[in-house]
C-alpha cells in the first residue's frame, strides 16, 4: 500500500535566485532522506513560488523496508579465550549493539581474517511515525546564502515561515518548525484569493486548492504562462519582445498568478542609447523591451504583474509612471555627459582609487597605455592599429565617472563607445573602448578587432600581475577581482589571434611595476605564469582533450595557448583514430629513459648496423618532413611523420643492444636515441601519455 505526500512550507516572499536553488536543494535532500529512511516511492517533485516551497511525493510506501544489519566486531581471537568463552571485548561489543553475546556469528572477511559480527534485524516503522522528524529535518537542512531569525525564536530561514502544510494521504503529518505545527490548510494569493486560508482535504487535492487560492505553485507552469503571454503580445501587435534569460527567470519567481500587461513611454526617450533604456527596464524594473519589425526599439514595454487581472490597465499605468521617471533621469544624465570633454573624465580618474595597494585608476590607465604599446610591438601591429589601441587605452576607463555609468554600472564600456563617437573619435577607437571589457563572462567572444584585443589584454594582465605582486592572488573561495576570468579572457584573446607568448606578456606587464611597488619580479612572474598555465589546462580540458594529452603538450608548448590548442587537437584526433601514437609513446619513454643529452645527436654511420642505419635514415626523412610542417603549424602532418618511425624504432629496440660494452658503440647508439627523443620532444613529451 502507498499514499501521496504533500509538504508545503509557507513563507514571506523569497528572492528569485535563492528560490531556484532551494527547489533543487529540497529535491536532492528529500531523495536522500527518503532513501536513508528506507521509504520507497514512485515519484518525487519539488516546486517553488514566492511564498511557498512544495514537496510532492507520489506512491510513498506506508512502512519502512525491514533491514538486516551485519556489524563487524573484534577479531575472533580477541572475542573468545582458548576455551571458546566470550571475553569482555565480545560482551562489550554485544551489549553496545543490543544483542545477546551468544547470538554473535563468526565470519572471515575479504582479507582472510576471522571476526565476530552482530546480526540485527530492524523492523521498519510506519511512514506516519517517520515523517514528522524527516520533514522537519528537510526544512532546517536547507542552506541559504543569507538567513534570518524572527520573533523570539531561534529557528533560521531565508524569510519568516508563516505556515506549514503536511498531508500523507488524508492524514495530517505533525511537522514542527519555528513554533509552528503543520496542518491541512494553505494560504491563498495575498491579494486575489477571496479566502486567505484554503483547506486541503488530501495530498491529491492540492491542485484544486491552489486554483481556489489563485496561486500557481509550479515554476514551470508559471514560465509557460508568461511565455505564452509574451507570444500573444507579439502576435497581436506585430512586434518582438526582447526577453533576456536572466530577467525572464527572475520574473517567473516574482509572481504567483502571472498576468501580462503592455505599457508605453514617451517616444522622445528613444533618443537615449538603447542599452540605457533596456538596462533601466530589465535590471531595475524587470520589464521586457519591445522591438518593431525592423529590429529598432519601440516605446512599448511588457510587464508581468501579480495583481488582479481585471485591474491590469491601472497597474500598467503605475508602471508607466515609474519607467517615465527612470528614463527621464537617464535622459538627463546622458545629455549632461555629452556636454563633458572625455579628457576631463580621464583626469578625474587620478582621484579614484583602483586598489589600495596599486594606486588610482588614473595610474592604472597610464600603465595600461604603456602595456598596450608593448603588446602592440610584440604582436608587430601596424602603426595605425597601434595608434588606435593607444587612444582607446587612454579613454577606456573615462566613462567610469560619467553620470550614466554611475547610475548603471553594467554599461561601462558601452557608454564609453557612445561618448567617444560623440566626441569625434574614430569608429575603431570607440569600438575598442567597448571591446576591451570582452570577454565579460564564460562563453563570451573575445574582442573582434586588434585594437580591442590589445587594450583588453593589457587591462586584464595589468590587474593580474599587480594583484599577484601585492600578495592578493585568488584563493579557493575568493576572487574579488575576477582574476581567473581575466586570465581565461587573455588566453582566449591569444587563441583568437594575439600573436604574443605568455612569457612576453608577463614580462611586459611586470615592467610597469618594476620600480614602483618593490616586489620580487622573478617570483611574481613565475607565480603568474603558473596561474595562467593552470587556467590553460582547464580551458583545454573543457575543449574535450584528455588530461594526459594536455600534460604532454603543455610540457613543451605552455607558452603559446593557440599553439598548444592546435597540438592538442591534432594529438587527440590521432589517438582516437589509431594505436600508433600509443605504441610510439612507449618507445619514446624507453628512449628518453636511456638518452644522454650531453652526448649530442651526431652518430657515426660507420659504427651502425642495419637496424641502426635504418633508424638513422628514417630520422633524417622525418626531420625534413617535420621541419616544413612545424613551420606552418600543420600538426596533423607532424604526427603522421612521427608515426612513420614506429617500424624503425621497434626494429632498433628488438635487435640492437643499446648499452653495449664497447664505449664508442654504446655512445653512438645513445646519440641515435637522443636524436629520436629530440624530434618527438619538439611536439610534446610523449612519456606523459598514459597507456
Amino acid at each position: 500500500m502507498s499514499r501521496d505526500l504533500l509538504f508545503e512550507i509557507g513563507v514571506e516572499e523569497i528572492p528569485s535566485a535563492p528560490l531556484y536553488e532551494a527547489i533543487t536543494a529540497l529535491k536532492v535532500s528529500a531523495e536522500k532522506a527518503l532513501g536513508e529512511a528506507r521509504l520507497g516511492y514512485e515519484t518525487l517533485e519539488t516546486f517553488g513560488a514566492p511564498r511557498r516551497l512544495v514537496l510532492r511525493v507520489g506512491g510513498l510506501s506506508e512502512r519502512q523496508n525491514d533491514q538486516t544489519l551485519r556489524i563487524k566486531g573484534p577479531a575472533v581471537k580477541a572475542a573468545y579465550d582458548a576455551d571458546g568463552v566470550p571475553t569482555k571485548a565480545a560482551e562489550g561489543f554485544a551489549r553496545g549493539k543490543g544483542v545477546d553475546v551468544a547470538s554473535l556469528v563468526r565470519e572471515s572477511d575479504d582479507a582472510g581474517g576471522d571476526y565476530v559480527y552482530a546480526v540485527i534485524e530492524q523492523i521498519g516503522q510506519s511512514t506516519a511515525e517517520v515523517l514528522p522528524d524527516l520533514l522537519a529535518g528537510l526544512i532546517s537542512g536547507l542552506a541559504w546564502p543569507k538567513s534570518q531569525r524572527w520573533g523570539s525564536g531561534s529557528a533560521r530561514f531565508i524569510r519568516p515561515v508563516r505556515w506549514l502544510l503536511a498531508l500523507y494521504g488524508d492524514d495530517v503529518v505533525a511537522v514542527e518548525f519555528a513554533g509552528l505545527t503543520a496542518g491541512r490548510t494553505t494560504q491563498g494569493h495575498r491579494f486575489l484569493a477571496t479566502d486567505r486560508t484554503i483547506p486541503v482535504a488530501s495530498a491529491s487535492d492540492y491542485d484544486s486548492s491552489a486554483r481556489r487560492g489563485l496561486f500557481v505553485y509550479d515554476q514551470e507552469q508559471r514560465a509557460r504562462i508568461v511565455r505564452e503571454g509574451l507570444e500573444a503580445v507579439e502576435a497581436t501587435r506585430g512586434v518582438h519582445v526582447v526577453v533576456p534569460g536572466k530577467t525572464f527567470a527572475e520574473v517567473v519567481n516574482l509572481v504567483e498568478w502571472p498576468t501580462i500587461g503592455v505599457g508605453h513611454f514617451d517616444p522622445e526617450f528613444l533618443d537615449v542609447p538603447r542599452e540605457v533604456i533596456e538596462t533601466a527596464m530589465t535590471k531595475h524594473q524587470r520589464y521586457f523591451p519591445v522591438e518593431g519589425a525592423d529590429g529598432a526599439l519601440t516605446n512599448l514595454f511588457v510587464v508581468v504583474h501579480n495583481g488582479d487581472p481585471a485591474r491590469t490597465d491601472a497597474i500598467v499605468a503605475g508602471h508607466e509612471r515609474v519607467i517615465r521617471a527612470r528614463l527621464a533621469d537617464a535622459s538627463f544624465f546622458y545629455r549632461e555627459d555629452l556636454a563633458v570633454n572625455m579628457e576631463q573624465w580621464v583626469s578625474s580618474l587620478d582621484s579614484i582609487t583602483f586598489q589600495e595597494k596599486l594606486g588610482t585608476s588614473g595610474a592604472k590607465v597610464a600603465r595600461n597605455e604603456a602595456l598596450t604599446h608593448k603588446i602592440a610591438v610584440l604582436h608587430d601591429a601596424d602603426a595605425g592599429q597601434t595608434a588606435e589601441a593607444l587612444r582607446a587605452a587612454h579613454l577606456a576607463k573615462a566613462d567610469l565617472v560619467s553620470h550614466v555609468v554611475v547610475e548603471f554600472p553594467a554599461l561601462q564600456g558601452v557608454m564609453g563607445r557612445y561618448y567617444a563617437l560623440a566626441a569625434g573619435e574614430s569608429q575603431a577607437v570607440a569600438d575598442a573602448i567597448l571591446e576591451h571589457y570582452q570577454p565579460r563572462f564564460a562563453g563570451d567572444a573575445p574582442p573582434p578587432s586588434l585594437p580591442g584585443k590589445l587594450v583588453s589584454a593589457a587591462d586584464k594582465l595589468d590587474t593580474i600581475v599587480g594583484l599577484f605582486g601585492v600578495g592578493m592572488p585568488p584563493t579557493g573561495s575568493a576572487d574579488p577581482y575576477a582574476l581567473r576570468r581575466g586570465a581565461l579572457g587573455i588566453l582566449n584573446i591569444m587563441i583568437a589571434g594575439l600573436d604574443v607568448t605568455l612569457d612576453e606578456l608577463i614580462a611586459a606587464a611586470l615592467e610597469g611595476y618594476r620600480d614602483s611597488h618593490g616586489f620580487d619580479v622573478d617570483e611574481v612572474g613565475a607565480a603568474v605564469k603558473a596561474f595562467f598555465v593552470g587556467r590553460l589546462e582547464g580551458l583545454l580540458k573543457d575543449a574535450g582533450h584528455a588530461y594526459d594529452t594536455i600534460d604532454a603538450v603543455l610540457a613543451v608548448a605552455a607558452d603559446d595557448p593557440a599553439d598548444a590548442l592546435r597540438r592538442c587537437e591534432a594529438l587527440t584526433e590521432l589517438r582516437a583514430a589509431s594505436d600508433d601514437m600509443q605504441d610510439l609513446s612507449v618507445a619514446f619513454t624507453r628512449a628518453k629513459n636511456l638518452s644522454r643529452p650531453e652526448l649530442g645527436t651526431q652518430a657515426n654511420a660507420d659504427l651502425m648496423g642495419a637496424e641502426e642505419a635504418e633508424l638513422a635514415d628514417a630520422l633524417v626523412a622525418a626531420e625534413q618532413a617535420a621541419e616544413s610542417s612545424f613551420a606552418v603549424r600543420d600538426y596533423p602532418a607532424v604526427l603522421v611523420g612521427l608515426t612513420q618511425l614506429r617500424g624503425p624504432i621497434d626494429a632498433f629496440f628488438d635487435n640492437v643492444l643499446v648499452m653495449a660494452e664497447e664505449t664508442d658503440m654504446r655512445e653512438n647508439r645513445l646519440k641515435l636515441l637522443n636524436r629520436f627523443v629530440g624530434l618527438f620532444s619538439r611536439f610534446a613529451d610523449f612519456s606523459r601519455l598514459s597507456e
Side-chain angles (χ1 to χ4, degrees):
M1 294 290 292
S2 65
R3 287 185 272 173
D4 294 341
L5 170 68
L6 170 68
F7 182 43
E8 180 188 69
I9 309 167
V11 296
E12 298 292 344
E13 279 77 359
I14 303 174
S16 179
L19 177 55
Y20 278 113
E21 294 170 3
I23 293 169
T24 301
L26 180 59
K27 181 179 177 67
V28 172
S29 298
E31 290 172 339
K32 180 181 179 182
L34 291 175
E36 291 176 347
R38 311 192 310 281
L39 290 173
Y41 57 88
E42 295 173 3
T43 61
L44 188 153
E45 298 175 289
T46 52
F47 308 94
R51 298 175 62 226
R52 65 199 78 229
L53 271 169
V54 179
L55 166 67
R56 300 193 74 168
V57 182
L60 180 62
S61 61
E62 295 205 21
R63 195 167 200 84
Q64 290 178 306
N65 295 324
D66 298 337
Q67 71 172 350
T68 300
L69 299 179
R70 304 180 68 81
I71 304 174
K72 187 177 181 179
V76 170
K77 61 183 179 182
Y80 301 96
D81 62 19
D83 297 324
V85 177
T87 64
K88 291 187 179 298
E91 292 174 347
F93 171 67
R95 185 168 53 252
K97 303 307 174 188
V99 298
D100 189 276
V101 69
S103 69
L104 297 178
V105 298
R106 308 183 189 192
E107 292 183 8
S108 298
D109 64 6
D110 294 337
D114 292 330
Y115 293 86
V116 297
Y117 289 80
V119 180
I120 304 173
E121 299 291 342
Q122 286 191 342
I123 306 301
Q125 293 179 284
S126 70
T127 299
E129 294 178 284
V130 175
L131 283 177
D133 288 342
L134 186 150
L135 296 180
L138 292 181
I139 308 179
S140 59
L142 284 172
W144 303 97
K146 293 182 180 179
S147 59
Q148 63 182 73
R149 291 185 294 107
W150 59 96
S152 59
S154 60
R156 302 187 69 90
F157 212 70
I158 190 169
R159 292 291 186 271
V161 177
R162 295 308 187 194
W163 76 90
L164 296 173
L165 164 63
L167 294 173
Y168 181 45
D170 300 338
D171 298 333
V172 172
V173 180
V175 184
E176 295 183 357
F177 180 75
L180 298 170
T181 301
R184 61 169 63 253
T185 60
T186 185
Q187 297 291 313
H189 191 287
R190 191 186 295 276
F191 309 116
L192 303 181
T194 303
D195 299 320
R196 294 294 176 85
T197 301
I198 312 294
V200 184
S202 69
S204 59
D205 289 337
Y206 185 60
D207 284 337
S208 62
S209 298
R211 287 191 294 271
R212 178 180 170 185
L214 297 177
F215 63 86
V216 180
Y217 65 88
D218 182 348
Q219 66 279 1
E220 294 298 332
Q221 185 180 349
R222 292 198 306 278
R224 285 194 298 272
I225 294 171
V226 174
R227 194 175 295 111
E228 290 168 0
L230 297 177
E231 291 170 354
V233 170
E234 293 179 328
T236 57
R237 294 178 178 260
V239 296
H240 172 65
V241 181
V242 180
V243 186
K246 186 175 181 180
T247 303
F248 181 86
E250 187 173 6
V251 164
V252 166
N253 275 358
L254 292 177
V255 293
E256 286 197 311
W257 193 258
T259 302
I260 305 296
V262 179
H264 72 281
F265 55 87
D266 295 335
E268 65 184 45
F269 291 132
L270 292 174
D271 292 336
V272 176
R274 172 175 179 155
E275 292 87 348
V276 177
I277 298 173
E278 290 186 321
T279 300
M281 287 185 183
T282 60
K283 294 186 180 299
H284 287 220
Q285 300 303 133
R286 282 74 178 178
Y287 303 157
F288 297 109
V290 177
E291 294 177 339
D294 60 355
L297 199 65
T298 71
N299 68 322
L300 300 178
F301 66 91
V302 178
V303 59
V304 182
H305 70 82
N306 197 41
D308 186 347
R311 294 181 54 80
T312 293
D313 289 345
I315 292 170
V316 168
H319 286 290
E320 288 175 340
R321 289 192 293 272
V322 172
I323 196 61
R324 187 179 300 119
R326 283 275 186 194
L327 294 182
D329 287 345
S331 178
F332 172 77
F333 291 151
Y334 180 58
R335 291 195 304 271
E336 289 289 298
D337 286 342
L338 289 177
V340 179
N341 187 311
M342 291 187 77
E343 291 293 344
Q344 292 179 243
W345 288 337
V346 174
S347 299
S348 298
L349 294 174
D350 288 330
S351 61
I352 298 175
T353 300
F354 163 62
Q355 201 281 329
E356 183 180 3
K357 296 181 180 180
L358 296 178
T360 67
S361 293
K364 176 168 176 56
V365 167
R367 291 194 304 270
N368 285 354
E369 289 184 65
L371 184 52
T372 296
H373 184 264
K374 292 173 185 175
I375 298 173
V377 172
L378 292 169
H379 178 81
D380 197 23
D382 63 44
Q385 290 180 314
T386 299
E388 291 164 349
L390 288 174
R391 183 61 178 165
H394 180 68
L395 298 175
K397 304 298 182 183
D399 67 346
L400 293 180
V401 294
S402 68
H403 291 301
V404 171
V405 172
V406 169
E407 180 72 12
F408 305 108
L411 294 181
Q412 55 187 285
V414 173
M415 298 312 300
R417 178 179 178 276
Y418 279 109
Y419 297 140
L421 290 173
E425 300 291 341
S426 71
Q427 187 72 51
V429 169
D431 288 345
I433 290 172
L434 171 62
E435 293 170 8
H436 96 279
Y437 285 105
Q438 292 178 243
R440 292 174 180 262
F441 49 83
D444 191 23
S449 72
L450 179 58
K453 289 182 175 70
L454 295 172
V455 182
S456 179
D459 179 39
K460 293 174 174 59
L461 187 61
D462 173 78
T463 301
I464 293 170
V465 168
L467 287 168
F468 266 79
V470 296
M472 297 180 64
T475 64
S477 59
D479 187 7
Y481 291 90
L483 301 190
R484 294 186 181 93
R485 186 176 67 200
L488 284 172
I490 293 171
L491 292 172
N492 279 302
I493 290 170
M494 297 175 76
I495 290 171
L498 186 61
D499 191 14
V500 187
T501 68
L502 279 173
D503 283 341
E504 290 172 333
L505 281 176
I506 294 168
L510 285 168
E511 283 297 318
Y513 290 98
R514 185 175 295 275
D515 300 323
S516 59
H517 286 77
F519 51 72
D520 187 320
V521 171
D522 293 335
E523 181 180 333
V524 172
V528 172
K529 177 67 176 294
F531 177 65
F532 270 97
V533 172
R535 306 286 77 71
L536 180 55
E537 288 176 355
L539 188 153
L540 294 172
K541 181 179 179 182
D542 290 343
H545 302 293
Y547 77 93
D548 56 337
T549 293
I550 298 169
D551 195 26
V553 167
L554 293 188
V556 300
D559 201 33
D560 188 337
D563 192 58
L565 176 60
R566 295 172 73 169
R567 291 175 189 238
C568 282
E569 290 171 344
L571 185 52
T572 295
E573 183 178 354
L574 181 63
R575 294 183 74 184
S578 76
D579 295 330
D580 287 347
M581 191 48 62
Q582 192 62 55
D583 292 339
L584 275 174
S585 69
V586 175
F588 173 84
T589 302
R590 184 177 179 185
K592 185 177 181 181
N593 290 337
L594 289 170
S595 65
R596 289 174 55 188
E598 69 275 8
L599 296 176
T601 60
Q602 298 302 312
N604 185 347
D606 295 336
L607 297 177
M608 296 181 188
E611 288 80 8
E612 296 162 85
E614 180 184 356
L615 177 59
D617 292 341
L619 282 169
V620 171
E623 287 169 344
Q624 292 173 346
E627 195 63 41
S628 57
S629 297
F630 271 117
V632 295
R633 297 190 178 189
D634 185 356
Y635 294 128
V638 170
L639 290 176
V640 169
L642 294 181
T643 60
Q644 303 305 310
L645 293 172
R646 177 176 177 180
I649 193 65
D650 286 347
F652 178 85
F653 279 126
D654 288 343
N655 299 292
V656 175
L657 178 62
V658 177
M659 304 306 288
E661 291 185 8
E662 301 88 344
T663 301
D664 56 349
M665 190 71 70
R666 180 174 65 251
E667 292 184 349
N668 203 59
R669 292 168 180 172
L670 289 172
K671 290 176 182 179
L672 269 180
L673 292 183
N674 289 346
R675 191 168 183 176
F676 177 85
V677 170
L679 176 58
F680 272 69
S681 295
R682 289 187 63 185
F683 183 88
D685 183 354
F686 290 93
S687 66
R688 302 192 182 206
L689 297 179
S690 62
E691 297 182 5

